[in-house]
Amino acid sequence: MLEQIKGLHHVTSMAEDARTNNQFFTQTLGLRRVKKTVNFDSPDVYHLYYGDETGTAGTVMTYFPFPQMPRGRAGTGEVGTTAFSVPQGSLGFWEGRLTRLGVSGLKRSESFGEKRLNFAGPDGDGFALVEVRDDPRTPWTEGGLSGDYAIRGFHSVAMRLRDEGATADLLKYMGYEELDRRDGVTRLVVPDGNGANLVDLETLPGINRAAQGAGSVHHVAFAVDNRERQLEVRKALMDTGYHVTPVIDRDYFWAIYFRTPGGVLFEIATNEPGFDRDEDTAHLGEALKLPQQHKHLRPILEGHLQRLEA
């Protein structure tokens, strides 16, 4: 069993409109945009990152907004719900705020003894806010929300699977432990993690496979401290029979990817070097940052990419 993985690092999804996406995460949810860059493979498409003040692993939601992308179809083989941690007693505030701002899909529920508010993102993305007592992570409070209500980071992701068995075994090999089972959902936790410690597995054998599009999670990334730890994980996964990519430099972290038995794409990402490698912390996410191989395209991209602020 591996011990290098500390919890979630980031979750990457797809959207249809960059400005709408930016507005939702920075103004509606009050997160900080910590990086404005482009997709490594499609530089005419943004890659936007939202999180806490510095983009700490376990807080970062990222998006590829592909203009006019059709919506995805929900199903198995994907992350169905991305949940954020909020302070205990804050759901009433959030329900009122999201209602006032026209957010759809609002529904109160309780899962594993925790109160939660489910809602949909602009592209039908599945989200939830979960009340957590004494989450010690420091929230971003310069987005218009006080610390009494602001998002602390990820709480969990919930994966929809036809059969949870092989994915559960994989996560246990990755250092997760089964915490509880209720109502067809298995909850796993990585002990002594980074606060974004939980993964829920929903078994839905009668549901068709998902079709990716706007509103779909592209991949979920798990955090390791550094490249040395990452290489240890890569070797162990390959020795177990998984087909893992070589290490890829993503500018703000190094990444490896592999497809899980249930169909979800996993990434293992390093906590280093961080989002302040090319911008001062006070100005994260303000300037358009380009990967080295795309810097010569700056004049074209600055004229092509949608303005994020009206």
Side-chain angles (χ1 to χ4, degrees), residues 104-155:
S104 63
L106 292 169
K107 181 182 179 182
R108 290 261 201 148
S109 64
E110 189 168 311
S111 180
F112 295 100
E114 297 171 323
K115 294 179 180 178
R116 58 196 289 141
L117 176 65
N118 295 288
F119 62 99
D123 295 286
D125 329 47
F127 292 121
L129 300 171
V130 182
E131 289 190 349
V132 177
R133 181 189 294 274
D134 299 327
D135 187 330
R137 293 176 289 176
T138 302
W140 172 247
T141 56
E142 295 188 33
L145 296 175
S146 79
D148 293 334
Y149 308 114
I151 289 170
R152 266 49 182 174
F154 292 124
H155 170 274

Side-chain angles (χ1 to χ4, degrees), residues 9-10 25-26 29-35 49-62 84-85 135-143 150-154 194-196 274-276 280-285:
H9 186 284
H10 65 268
F25 282 94
T26 61
L29 296 187
L31 298 177
R32 185 184 195 187
R33 190 178 73 219
V34 295
K35 195 61 59 180
Y49 295 77
Y50 311 98
D52 68 0
E53 180 181 11
T54 60
T56 306
T59 74
V60 181
M61 190 81 205
T62 99
F84 299 94
S85 168
D135 187 330
R137 293 176 289 176
T138 302
W140 172 247
T141 56
E142 295 188 33
I151 289 170
R152 266 49 182 174
F154 292 124
N194 61 8
F275 293 98
D276 61 355
D280 183 86
T281 299
H283 299 285
L284 288 180

Side-chain angles (χ1 to χ4, degrees), residues 203-214:
T203 303
L204 300 165
I207 304 299
N208 290 331
R209 285 189 65 84
Q212 286 204 333

Side-chain angles (χ1 to χ4, degrees), residues 171-183:
L171 286 165
K172 290 174 183 177
Y173 181 68
M174 291 168 57
Y176 282 77
E177 299 176 359
E178 185 173 320
L179 185 63
D180 202 353
R181 287 177 180 259
R182 298 189 193 182
D183 304 320

